[in-house]
Amino acid sequence: MTAALGALVTGAGVTAASAPSVSAAAPSYLTLEGAYGAGTVTNGWEKVERYRDTTPGFQATAAEGYPPDGRGNQDGVRVTYFGGVARPTSDRFLLYSAPGWNTGAKATPVLLVHGANDTADRAWANPGEAGGYGCGALSCPSTGLMQYLSARGHRVFAIGFAHKQGDNLMQAQAVGDAVALIKAKLGVSQVDLVGWSKGEMSTRAYVSSLKPAWGRAYAGDVRKLITLGGPNGGFDYPYAHGWAHDFSIWPECGGKINAPSPHSRMTCYGTYTAHPEFSMTPSGGYDDYPGQRQMLARWDGVYGVDQTAQDWYTTYYGGQGFYTAGDGIQAAIDAGSLVGPLQRAGIPASVTTYLLAGGSPDVIGIFNENRGPSDGVVFVSSALDTTGIAKVGATATVAGANHLELGWNSASEAQVASWLS
């Protein structure tokens, strides 16, 4: 941790004088720590601010775990935004403001909420920032939903989370914080939310008042909720395709991806190794992927399990296989899935909810979900699951979009804009 996180950051592109003041109506428990504008901010955003939620209960639980090899660290310009800290605590978040954030003609502003192992930059403003295949396609565009909506008069904001795989209940509190700030800045009473993939979990948890013991309940300030490829009915991809999935994770196999493993041990090139730091469930003192565990649900009763995969049975149901060992999906669900609790908590009828699914299971670079109609990661029937949603505005499937394209595919953008109007 650096001293810069305890005070307003100054330096390139950041000065105490240029830092915007927070309206008197903004919550007193939010502290503005840094503001970044021209000369520092990239990817078409107008400004980025870093806030800290000083709620005692939040700060007491904010030190979430990171994989020790650095794969979960913040990267690129986000390190600057987080005050030079690659592993920030989860009581901190970034608020991105798009051009026209205070001049757009649309009455209700929009907050974009990104998914797992992602950033607000790559997700919404520059899908090609991560390079080839980072957007799920052979060719990645340099603009996204942020520019699309901003050009059509929407006042657009995005949140950036401190932990790329963090606890969704904690991130839901940050979503509520961002909504409160937007309301204070613009003098509005409601905000629209767009949650992509894992971002569905935190946005839905916020409006459903599903929260930590210390958390704040929903403030009644969301007009519409739109989910893009959200696991409303959960997903079991890591367990259904664990063998192929692990090769991208296990370092002895050459893996570098920041994602959890369904296994506790695996053989790579003849060496049987343990990596508790990559476990889906708490193991060996590590719990680096709570947000992934919270999205789990069993789909074996609907679509079965891929029996062509190595160690398929023990991967899904638990036990010692030929090359791997693990506890199975049910143990992970029991360790803290939020799918059931979210459905039981329900989204209130005051929040009109729209569900968008991708219909193209062709994400480049991964083993795609092939047991049933999917976007390559999440089943269409999960993304469109309306259980617990009191007022469904509409559902739709973009046949030509995979899971990583839903935020920038032209048909997806048009559908989101139509639902926001």
Side-chain angles (χ1 to χ4, degrees):
M1 301 281 294
T2 67
L5 283 176
L8 181 64
V9 175
T10 58
V14 189
T15 65
S18 68
S21 60
V22 181
S23 164
S28 61
Y29 49 80
L30 293 180
T31 299
L32 175 63
E33 292 187 327
Y36 305 83
T40 300
V41 175
T42 61
N43 297 319
W45 298 100
E46 183 171 309
K47 63 178 179 177
V48 178
E49 299 161 306
R50 183 178 74 258
Y51 289 92
R52 186 184 190 193
D53 187 325
T54 62
T55 304
F58 206 156
Q59 293 193 34
T61 57
E64 295 192 84
Y66 286 83
D69 66 0
R71 66 179 66 192
N73 291 8
Q74 292 292 334
D75 55 13
V77 72
R78 272 74 55 184
V79 178
T80 298
Y81 298 158
F82 277 110
V85 177
R87 300 180 182 181
T89 54
S90 294
D91 54 346
R92 292 176 167 90
F93 65 92
L94 306 177
L95 183 65
Y96 290 68
S97 300
W101 66 270
N102 59 348
T103 59
K106 301 292 186 180
T108 306
V110 182
L111 176 65
L112 306 176
V113 183
H114 67 78
N117 201 30
D118 211 347
T119 70
D121 288 292
R122 196 221 63 84
W124 308 117
N126 182 5
E129 189 196 58
Y133 311 148
C135 67
L138 286 172
S139 178
C140 301
S142 59
T143 60
L145 187 62
M146 178 271 278
Q147 290 91 343
Y148 186 91
L149 294 178
S150 181
R152 286 158 178 79
H154 291 277
R155 294 179 286 177
V156 181
F157 299 82
I159 191 170
F161 295 119
H163 196 294
K164 295 180 180 180
Q165 300 278 13
D167 184 294
N168 288 297
L169 297 185
M170 297 174 72
Q171 293 185 348
Q173 292 293 299
V175 168
D177 289 346
V179 170
L181 288 167
I182 294 168
K183 288 161 50 183
K185 289 173 182 291
L186 299 180
V188 299
S189 60
Q190 289 186 310
V191 173
D192 291 334
L193 298 178
V194 178
W196 185 1
S197 190
K198 182 178 178 291
E200 170 265 321
M201 300 290 286
S202 57
T203 54
R204 182 165 179 167
Y206 172 61
V207 300
S208 300
S209 288
L210 195 66
K211 57 187 178 61
W214 49 263
R216 290 172 292 276
Y218 172 50
D221 46 15
V222 173
R223 182 184 69 133
K224 295 180 177 180
L225 168 61
I226 298 174
T227 68
L228 312 180
N232 287 285
F235 86 137
D236 62 358
Y237 174 92
Y239 288 86
H241 306 288
W243 178 252
H245 183 58
D246 268 7
F247 277 95
S248 66
I249 299 171
W250 228 252
E252 287 79 7
C253 294
K256 299 179 180 180
I257 300 299
N258 180 38
S261 169
H263 298 122
S264 57
R265 293 178 176 272
M266 182 176 180
T267 299
C268 291
Y269 299 108
T271 303
Y272 192 53
T273 57
H275 279 289
E277 68 271 30
F278 302 135
S279 175
M280 183 75 78
T281 57
S283 177
Y286 293 98
D287 188 14
D288 300 333
Y289 299 93
Q292 287 281 340
R293 177 171 67 250
Q294 292 167 338
M295 295 189 287
L296 292 174
R298 290 178 62 160
W299 284 84
D300 53 321
V302 180
Y303 294 121
V305 179
D306 179 8
Q307 298 186 22
T308 65
Q310 180 68 49
D311 291 357
W312 68 269
Y313 187 91
T314 53
T315 297
Y316 202 95
Y317 299 107
Q320 176 69 58
F322 287 103
Y323 295 97
T324 60
D327 294 330
I329 189 171
Q330 192 58 53
I333 290 172
D334 294 342
S337 172
L338 291 181
V339 176
L342 280 171
Q343 291 180 339
R344 291 189 292 272
I347 298 177
S350 59
V351 180
T352 306
T353 304
Y354 302 81
L355 311 178
L356 188 66
S360 180
D362 64 349
V363 182
I364 294 174
I366 70 168
F367 188 94
N368 285 274
E369 179 56 79
N370 57 11
R371 293 172 294 154
S374 82
D375 62 9
V377 178
V378 175
F379 289 121
V380 172
S381 49
S382 176
L384 302 184
D385 189 335
T386 60
T387 305
I389 302 175
K391 185 178 180 181
V392 178
T395 66
T397 301
V398 179
N402 65 37
H403 191 72
L404 294 182
E405 294 171 336
L406 278 169
W408 59 266
N409 176 277
S410 59
S412 177
E413 290 176 326
Q415 184 63 80
V416 170
S418 173
W419 284 342
L420 289 171
S421 63

